[in-house]
Amino acid sequence: MEGWVIRCAVCWCMLFFSGLLQGQDRLHQHFNVRTGLPSNKAYSIAQSSAGYIWIGTDRGVVRWDGRNFKTYSTADGLPDNEVLQVFDDDYGRIWINCFNTAPAYIREGVVYTLHNDPFLARFNSVNLYQSSYLVEKNPQWF
């Protein structure tokens, strides 16, 4: 009889407290213009090997470090603000494929294009989709 009472008490407690139990919610955040993005339209999202999140938008490329956004646009040297693809390579460069322009990359906060990088100058007006040989170590992106 005593074991039956204990089992009933345990079952009753489990039923009573099960309504209070919750699973963990996944950590997620919604980013938009109000939270710091330059645009609500994102074409590409990638995480660099350094851990930054890079977002290609129609108003530039954005780096998110977990707290703050840093936007790179034509004012910073991008060839175009409409960034269709973003990815990194093994050399720490963030490659950017802009709409209808030659490729560019960002390294240590500086934007490199065919105007300030002799390597890219050889590929004048070549779209990054057509020049898979630019980044030899990341063939999975092409």
Side-chain angles (χ1 to χ4, degrees), residues 17-37:
F17 290 111
S18 67
L20 302 174
L21 299 175
Q22 296 180 19
Q24 293 181 345
D25 288 334
R26 288 184 170 199
L27 177 63
H28 64 277
Q29 294 177 324
H30 295 276
F31 298 120
N32 56 28
V33 175
R34 287 180 285 151
T35 58
L37 285 176

Side-chain angles (χ1 to χ4, degrees), residues 103-116:
Y105 67 88
I106 298 174
R107 185 170 189 177
E108 297 176 5
V110 178
V111 177
Y112 293 94
T113 64
L114 59 94
H115 301 294
N116 62 354

